[in-house]
Structures are given as structure tokens and as C-alpha cells.
Amino acid sequence: AKTLGRSRYEFFNVELRMRLQRRLRLEQDLRDAVRRGRLWAAYQPVVDLRTNETVAVEGLLRWTHPVHGPVSPTEFIPMAEESDLINLLGAHVLRETTKEVAARRADGIDVDLKINLSTRQLDDASLVLAIEAALASTGLPPSALCLEITESALMRDAALAGETLAALRNLGVRLAIDDFGTGYSSLAQLHKLTLDTLKIDRSFVTGLGESADAEAIVTSIIAMAHAVNLTVVAEGVETEKQLEVLKALDCDQAQGYYFGKPQPAHKLWP
Ligand code: C2E
Ligand code: CA
Ligand code: CA
Ligand code: CA
């Protein structure tokens, strides 16, 4: 038992060290990638369920590592959020996506832009100025930009976020609560945040048409959101069936592989 204990200890030690090393190296590489402009945004359509038209695109950050290949944002965003790197990433996404969408709008493609914000960015005094500058330099109207913040992050940092959110609201940009249903916000909190849009988390959308529970949850989220005048977007729609249920439940907009995966701008708008 003693030898087993020791070898197990060493196993974990090696495993932990390898993970830490990959992590440290990735962090270095990410910093490098930001500096060299190697990060880019993919765009996923958001469809209006009454007109079936694409009314917006969500810009999602992409990173192809020279050795490891594509690294998921679910891995590198949390890593970036632990340092100031997230502000660099955020500034990059903001500049790239506003420029792209403003250019497409000038070509007659009438879509709004949604991008994701970390609460750590709300902490950054220069965020509001950076957004103002991006809008001014591209000519994108403030009302065409929607900033998405996850429910869990908003609830965790609600006090801290309030002031910046108010400043953003004054600019005229839209605000959305993302991944809704995974946190524990109340109707009162939602109302106080003066948001425009609520995105229902994919985990609830996935069960539509299969699970009565999922349908009950989505029904009540939509009713609650509409009661406080929020536009509701369902994310992660993959099947016709899910789409039909969402339409029947009076959901406003939807996004998901059923309509299109996130793709580079030149593929989405050839
Ligand atoms: P999110 O904001 O909830 O974005 C939706 C995610 O669901 C995206 O994953 C998208 O590719 C994926 N998705 C969309 N439709 C479907 C579907 O029908 N089925 C399935 N299975 N997945 C679908 P992605 O691109 O890997 O991004 C993951 C998360 O990383 C995002 O979740 C967002 O929280 C974060 N993220 C991405 N880009 C940025 C960014 O520029 N800034 C910040 N702060 N976070 C970002
Ligand atoms: Ca999002
Ligand atoms: Ca989401
Ligand atoms: Ca998500």
C-alpha cells in the first residue's frame, strides 16, 4: 500500500506539472498571438423567428495555435480573464468586429453586432472610451452594438458592474444577459439592470421537444423576460423540432447550428 501511495503521488505530481506547463506555455503563446494579431472573430447568425431573417451576428473569438491547432475559447478566455490579457483580447475583438460589421452594413447587409464581455473588462476604466472610439471610427450606430455578459458573471459582480453598465447604456449600446438560467437572478435584479436582451442558455434549448421540464423552464423564462420587455434569444438551436417549439412559445430570436455555425466573415458573406 505504501509503494502504491507513493507512485500515485508521483503520478499526480507529474500530471499536475504537465498541466501547469501546458497552461503556462499556452498563456505565453496567447499573449504572443494577441500581439501578432493572430486572433480572429467568427460570426454566427442570429435569426428573427417572425421574419426568418438574420438580424444580427455574434462575434466569437478564435485562436489557432501553431502547434496545438484550434484552442477553444472555453479554455483560453478563462485563462485570459485571470490577467489583464482579457482587456487586450476584448479590445481586439471590439475593433475587428465593429470594423467588419460596419463595412458589411455599408454594403447593404443590415445586421447588428453582438460581442461578449467579461466582467473583468467592466472593471477597466478605458472600456467605455474604447467602445466610443470603435463606434466613432467605424460609424457603427451605438444601437447596432449589443454587449453580452453572462448571468453568472453579472450576478457575481453586480455591484461593480452597475456603474460601467450605466455609462454604456448612456452611449446607447444594447446590453444582453447571456447563458440565462445557469445563475440565480431574480426578476427584480433583472429589471434593475435595465438590459435589452436575454439569451436562454443552450442547456435548456437542447431538451425542447424531448423533455417536459425543459419546455416548462423555457416557457417561464420567456414569460418572465417579456414581462420586463426583454427581447428573448434562444441559443444552441440545432433541430427543426426545437425551432418549432420556440416559435410556439413566442421566442423572439434564435441562434444555433440549425441556422449556421460560427464562420469567418468571408465565408458568411462571400
Ligand atoms: P457563448 O457566448 O454562450 O457563445 C455561444 C457558444 O455556443 C459558442 O461557442 C458557439 O460556437 C456555440 N454554439 C452556437 N450554436 C450552437 C449549437 O447549435 N450547438 C452547440 N453545441 N454549440 C453552439 P464558442 O465559440 O466555443 O464560445 C464559447 C464561449 O467563449 C462563449 O459562449 C463566450 O462565453 C466565450 N467567448 C467567445 N468569444 C469571446 C470573446 O470575444 N470575449 C469573451 N469575453 N468571451 C468570449
Ligand atoms: Ca454570447
Ligand atoms: Ca451564451
Ligand atoms: Ca455559453
Side-chain angles (χ1 to χ4, degrees):
K2 207 168 179 184
T3 32
L4 183 69
R6 172 182 287 263
S7 67
R8 275 188 143 203
Y9 169 76
E10 277 166 3
F11 170 76
F12 282 125
N13 207 5
V14 168
E15 155 107 2
L16 187 66
R17 188 138 40 91
M18 273 169 49
R19 255 197 287 162
L20 275 174
Q21 272 170 358
R22 169 176 157 100
R23 168 79 199 237
L24 277 176
R25 223 176 307 121
L26 267 185
E27 207 176 300
Q28 273 293 320
D29 294 349
L30 182 58
R31 219 166 256 285
D32 200 53
V34 177
R35 236 193 344 251
R36 292 168 193 251
R38 288 234 191 84
L39 295 159
W40 53 280
Y43 296 88
Q44 186 177 37
V46 179
V47 172
D48 184 297
L49 293 185
R50 287 172 199 98
T51 62
N52 296 318
E53 299 210 2
T54 297
V55 286
V57 289
E58 177 173 6
L60 294 155
L61 206 49
R62 292 293 178 259
W63 176 30
T64 308
H65 188 280
V67 177
H68 305 295
V71 184
S72 166
T74 57
E75 180 171 15
F76 71 78
I77 294 286
M79 202 165 83
E81 281 173 341
E82 279 171 25
S83 68
D84 62 307
L85 248 185
I86 191 64
N87 295 322
L88 291 178
L89 288 187
H92 178 78
V93 173
L94 174 71
R95 275 195 306 268
E96 177 176 328
T97 58
T98 49
K99 203 168 140 206
E100 182 70 51
V101 170
R104 301 300 175 165
R105 287 168 66 100
D107 286 346
I109 298 166
D110 188 17
V111 290
D112 291 348
L113 169 65
K114 298 172 187 278
I115 54 175
N116 298 283
L117 275 195
S118 296
T119 37
R120 183 149 185 156
Q121 292 176 264
L122 296 176
D123 239 355
D124 180 2
S126 64
L127 176 76
V128 180
L129 282 175
I131 291 174
E132 230 178 332
L135 295 173
S137 72
T138 59
L140 189 72
S143 63
L145 177 64
C146 179
L147 306 170
E148 304 189 345
I149 307 164
T150 64
E151 182 190 25
S152 50
L154 259 183
M155 291 308 127
R156 193 178 56 231
D157 304 325
L160 160 171
E163 216 172 292
T164 311
L165 292 182
L168 291 171
R169 168 156 298 292
N170 276 337
L171 276 187
V173 301
R174 313 277 183 210
L175 300 171
I177 190 162
D178 203 349
D179 297 353
F180 188 81
T182 58
Y184 299 93
S185 36
S186 66
L187 192 57
Q189 282 170 309
L190 273 187
H191 189 62
K192 222 165 65 193
L193 285 169
T194 55
L195 307 162
D196 304 277
T197 302
L198 178 152
K199 290 183 97 166
I200 304 177
D201 192 63
R202 171 158 61 87
S203 57
F204 304 107
V205 175
T206 303
L208 290 180
E210 278 164 18
S211 134
D213 280 355
E215 193 161 326
I217 292 168
V218 171
T219 304
S220 62
I221 292 177
I222 294 174
M224 186 179 87
H226 282 168
V228 290
N229 284 319
L230 296 177
T231 299
V232 184
V233 184
E235 56 179 21
V237 177
E238 294 183 354
T239 68
E240 176 110 48
K241 177 77 199 163
Q242 291 161 354
L243 174 62
E244 287 320 312
V245 177
L246 287 164
K247 281 183 174 169
L249 294 179
D250 202 26
C251 185
D252 303 292
Q253 300 172 359
Q255 182 178 356
Y257 296 169
Y258 179 81
F259 303 103
K261 290 195 172 178
Q263 345 178 32
H266 67 271
K267 290 244 173 76
L268 183 62
W269 300 298

